Amino acid sequence: MSLLNEENSFYNADLLELLKDSNEAVLPYKRIRFRRNQKILIEGEETAYFYIIEEGVVAMSKNTCKEDSIISFLGKRDSIGPLTMLGGAKSPVNYTTISEVSIYQFERKYVLGKFLSSPNVFWHMNTLMQNMVEPILERESYVNLPSSEKVLAGLIACGERFGRIESDGSCLVPYYFTQKILGNYLNLARAYVATNLRKLEEEGIIALSPKPWRIIDFEKHKQNLTNTYKPYL
């Protein structure tokens, strides 16, 4: 099971330092704060900016006939808008905050100029694409899992990347990963997510109360999921 972790963040840390490094008198970026559930970029919208997340979590989604389908989550040091920078000025996806978020905003032309002048340009481009595609492929790996395991896999992915491991080995999943957010991420109805969360609680795998949700014996359940459904993860 390929779950993202903080080891990948040093690539974007280098990118952030590259972009912040400027000989100009005026800073090459603005720092902007967003409240929860605000749009940073809208699918089909033109933009002249490139963003790097300083703090918080953002959902990347595609418009559907019902609700937006979340295809990945982005956190600290992740980039917003690499496809916009490389392939045109219109965003192919939505970027919506699910927590309070602060970001660095750079002019798209400035970022492209820094990339092209860097000796590591191909390395930076490859890293941007890899960091964007890998979590999307991870989400697709859940498709063939039974429903309760699918919900557990989603919880584990969110907990490993954005949660907190406690001294007892459990993992606290941040409160902003709600039933609705999980449903949009896993393509499950909210009521179906609720049913499977209760089932996982009855089996002693998670604790729903008090909030935030807790995955009990986190490493054990992560490994069990990997071993049992290795062909899919």
Side-chain angles (χ1 to χ4, degrees), residues 25 55 83 110 119 141 185 219:
E55 294 290 345
L83 288 178
Y110 167 80
S141 70
Y185 177 55
E219 289 297 329

Side-chain angles (χ1 to χ4, degrees), residues 130-185:
Q130 180 180 337
N131 287 352
M132 183 182 66
V133 171
E134 187 173 341
I136 296 174
L137 294 178
E138 180 183 346
R139 177 217 188 219
E140 290 304 307
S141 70
Y142 305 153
V143 170
N144 294 314
L145 295 180
S147 57
S148 60
E149 280 82 356
K150 183 185 291 187
V151 171
L152 179 58
L155 281 175
I156 287 174
C158 296
E160 182 167 49
R161 181 125 191 250
F162 305 107
R164 186 178 77 225
I165 302 297
E166 299 288 271
S167 58
D168 62 359
S170 64
C171 177
L172 297 182
V173 180
Y175 71 92
Y176 40 79
F177 287 101
T178 62
Q179 292 177 8
K180 181 179 180 180
I181 292 291
L182 277 178
N184 290 352
Y185 177 55

